[in-house]
């Protein structure tokens, strides 16, 4: 029996502990918070999007960076395996739109409870309020960890680092794992926020603050006008810019130092010909009304004055006085509503951190360090990230399971 220490009791840490203990190892989790799974509590708006029920190839298509690195772990510990384990330990699951998997109760605490039950059944030791200050190695092999309290050294045969990234630091993700990895010779790729809202250069979003659009076409275009990401779905205007599932996924494609614009199609179900015909029909039906009232059947109330202003149309203009040129300007704004992006919200507000321990220095089958024997990485700490929809948690579960096949 080997003694395995796991640093961090989040999703990856708990899964690594379950798998390592299940393989017969003596396992101890060191968690600096007062409870396990603190970040899981807030994922999916408190519901916890456990994984995605799509097929494995679709999982890979939703990984933005280093999908090939995950090939072995995704096939070895699948989304079905994750769901089976959580349900087996008392948390029934359901699948919603887009393959998103949630607890039937809609309570993330039930997912944590199921994982905790598994840890207890397997005899995993859990040390809360216990912060690790460093990972120790001798002659190229891990020898243990040093605890911050009293600088106590705890020997170990293997150490799995599952400390998360930099996002939501209140949950304990404060970058400790990057430091541990660096001190042991590993390369950390550039870190930046991912799955994060955009800040807009113009005040238009503030004018629309609180407006939520459900069926909207979204394109992220770079400074050359090239579309680097496109999607369809929900979007939310905020006081600082835009948020919502489509925006969060688009943010995974931002490159530091580059300029971008978000281009919205407010009526993606209508091509330009059909939209123009719809305009003509509404303008005829409300010929004697102001333009602000004539568009009430087509757009949300708060969107209409913004659209008219951007199209150069007086909101008080009677519908029957609208010129063909003005109508085409309105059509252009509807199909290509451009929002210049000034950047993203800070990494502290991001769902995940992009970048991390270089995948070139990790064995993709076991998550073992190629530099230090007995050292393993799992979860957000590794340079892999995906879109929203349960895919990032699947990365955490799968890499943690792979890392636990230790010694």
């Amino acid at each position: 029996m080997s003694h395995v220490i796991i640093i961090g009791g989040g999703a990856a840490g708990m899964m690594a502990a379950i798998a390592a203990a299940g393989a017969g190892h003596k396992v101890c989790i060191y968690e600096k918070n007062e409870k396990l799974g603190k970040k899981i509590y807030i994922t999916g708006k408190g519901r916890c999007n456990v994984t995605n029920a799509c097929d494995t190839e679709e999982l890979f298509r939703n990984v933005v960076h280093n999908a090939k690195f995950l090939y072995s772990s995704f096939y070895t510990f699948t989304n079905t395996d994750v769901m089976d384990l959580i349900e087996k330990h008392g948390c029934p699951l359901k699948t919603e739109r887009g393959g998103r998997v949630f607890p039937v109760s809609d309570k993330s605490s039930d997912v944590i409870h199921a994982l905790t039950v598994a840890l207890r059944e397997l005899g995993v030791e859990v040390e809360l309020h216990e912060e690790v200050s460093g990972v120790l190695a001798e002659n190229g092999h891990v020898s243990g960890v040093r605890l911050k309290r009293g600088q106590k050294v705890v020997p170990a045969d293997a150490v799995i680092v599952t400390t998360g990234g930099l996002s939501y630091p209140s949950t304990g993700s404060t970058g400790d794992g990057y430091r541990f990895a660096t001190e042991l010779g590993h390369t950390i790729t550039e870190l930046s926020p991912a799955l994060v809202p955009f800040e807009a250069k113009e005040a238009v979003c503030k004018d629309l603050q609180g407006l939520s659009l459900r069926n909207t076409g979204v394109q992220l275009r770079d400074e050359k006008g090239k579309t680097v990401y496109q999607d369809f779905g929900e979007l939310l205007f905020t006081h600082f810019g835009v948020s919502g599932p489509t925006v969060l996924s688009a943010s995974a494609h931002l490159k530091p130092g580059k300029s971008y614009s978000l281009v919205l199609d407010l009526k993606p179900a209508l091509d330009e010909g059909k939209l123009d015909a719809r305009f003509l029909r509404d303008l005829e039906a409300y010929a004697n009304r102001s333009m602000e009232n004539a568009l009430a059947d087509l757009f949300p109330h708060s969107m209409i004055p913004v659209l008219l202003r951007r199209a150069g149309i007086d909101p008080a203009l009677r519908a029957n006085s609208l010129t063909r040129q003005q109508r085409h300007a309105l059509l252009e704004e509807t199909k290509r509503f451009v929002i210049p992006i000034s950047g993203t919200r800070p990494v502290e507000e991001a769902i995940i951190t992009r970048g991390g321990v270089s995948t070139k220095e990790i064995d993709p089958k076991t998550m073992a360090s190629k530099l230090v024997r007995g050292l393993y990485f799992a979860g957000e700490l590794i340079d892999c990230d995906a879109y929203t929809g349960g895919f990032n948690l699947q990365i955490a579960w799968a890499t943690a399971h792979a890392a636990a096949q230790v010694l």
Side-chain angles (χ1 to χ4, degrees):
M1 178 187 291
S2 300
H3 183 208
V4 179
I5 286 177
I6 295 170
I7 309 174
M14 285 191 283
M15 185 59 74
I18 290 166
H25 301 296
K26 180 184 177 184
V27 181
C28 179
I29 298 175
Y30 285 103
E31 168 56 55
K32 64 183 179 182
N33 285 313
E34 75 284 359
K35 59 188 176 184
L36 296 175
K38 200 165 182 181
K39 190 173 180 180
I40 294 178
Y41 275 103
I42 61 174
T43 61
K45 297 180 180 178
R47 297 172 65 213
C48 186
N49 185 180
V50 175
T51 186
N52 195 287
C54 64
D55 61 42
T56 307
E57 287 304 310
E58 184 67 17
L59 284 178
F60 288 120
R61 284 192 286 272
N62 280 276
V63 176
V64 181
H65 297 107
N66 296 319
K68 287 183 179 179
F69 173 80
L70 297 166
Y71 189 89
S72 177
S73 59
F74 269 12
Y75 273 107
T76 302
F77 193 63
T78 67
N79 45 7
T80 302
D81 293 329
V82 173
M83 290 185 277
D84 287 347
L85 186 149
I86 290 173
E87 291 196 312
K88 175 185 173 184
H89 291 92
C91 178
L93 301 172
K94 61 181 177 180
T95 302
E96 297 185 357
R97 183 173 54 85
R100 291 169 167 83
V101 178
F102 293 93
V104 170
S105 65
D106 286 329
K107 294 179 180 178
S108 57
S109 56
D110 287 350
V111 176
I112 298 166
H113 178 72
L115 296 171
T116 304
V117 168
L119 293 171
R120 195 181 304 125
E121 287 178 356
L122 291 163
V124 173
E125 182 184 351
V126 178
E127 296 289 344
L128 300 175
H129 298 288
E130 199 68 82
E131 185 172 350
V132 173
S133 61
V135 179
L136 308 176
E138 295 177 6
N139 301 317
H141 195 291
V142 157
S143 59
V145 301
R146 178 178 286 108
L147 303 182
K148 188 173 184 179
R149 184 167 54 181
Q151 295 298 300
K152 178 183 176 183
V153 172
V154 183
D157 299 300
V159 173
I160 305 176
V161 187
T162 58
T163 51
L166 294 171
S167 56
Y168 296 122
S170 61
T171 65
S173 299
T174 51
D176 298 343
Y178 303 130
R179 177 172 57 81
F180 300 154
T182 301
E183 289 173 350
L184 293 169
H186 277 278
T187 303
I188 306 300
T189 62
E190 185 174 5
L191 303 174
S192 60
L195 305 188
V196 62
F198 289 153
E199 293 185 347
K201 290 182 179 178
E202 301 172 354
V204 61
C205 295
K206 196 169 185 179
D207 295 339
L208 296 169
Q209 180 179 346
L211 175 63
S212 178
L213 302 178
R214 295 191 65 182
N215 301 309
T216 305
V218 174
Q219 288 188 1
L220 181 67
R221 295 182 183 175
D222 64 16
E223 50 206 358
K224 297 179 180 178
K226 179 184 176 183
T227 299
V228 296
Y229 177 78
Q230 59 184 8
D231 201 356
F232 169 85
E234 298 176 28
L235 176 139
L236 173 68
F237 290 98
T238 69
H239 67 285
F240 55 77
V242 277
S243 187
T246 55
V247 171
L248 297 181
S249 288
S251 72
H253 294 270
L254 292 184
K255 293 181 179 178
K258 301 284 186 178
S259 297
Y260 295 88
S261 292
L262 206 60
V263 183
L264 309 182
D265 184 345
L266 302 176
K267 294 293 174 184
L270 301 175
D271 63 27
E272 293 191 12
K274 290 180 179 177
L275 179 60
D276 197 36
R278 174 62 192 272
F279 279 152
L280 288 169
R281 192 162 67 246
D282 282 21
L283 292 171
E284 184 178 351
Y286 303 116
N288 292 314
R289 294 190 183 182
S290 68
M291 281 301 301
E292 191 161 18
N293 291 321
L295 298 175
D297 294 347
L298 260 177
F299 301 106
H301 177 73
S302 59
M303 176 66 79
I304 295 172
V306 173
L307 272 173
L308 291 173
R309 183 174 71 243
R310 288 169 66 111
I313 301 169
D314 183 351
L317 180 73
R318 286 190 177 275
N320 58 11
S321 299
L322 191 74
T323 67
R324 181 180 179 182
Q325 184 178 8
Q326 287 174 317
R327 193 177 80 246
H328 285 176
L330 181 61
L331 186 148
E332 179 68 22
E333 282 298 328
T334 302
K335 298 298 285 184
R336 284 167 285 277
F337 190 94
V338 180
I339 304 173
I341 301 303
S342 60
T344 68
R345 299 297 284 172
V347 69
E348 291 82 6
E349 296 179 30
I351 293 177
I352 60 167
T353 309
R354 182 200 300 169
V357 181
S358 172
T359 55
K360 295 176 182 178
E361 299 168 356
I362 303 172
D363 184 324
K365 291 184 178 180
T366 63
M367 301 300 137
S369 164
K370 293 181 179 179
L371 309 181
V372 181
R373 295 189 305 279
L375 176 65
Y376 301 79
F377 302 102
E380 190 179 342
L381 184 65
I382 300 173
D383 182 16
C384 295
D385 61 272
Y387 297 131
T388 58
F391 303 106
N392 288 288
L393 265 180
Q394 183 59 35
I395 291 175
W397 309 130
T399 55
H401 185 271
Q405 312 308 303
V406 293
L407 305 178

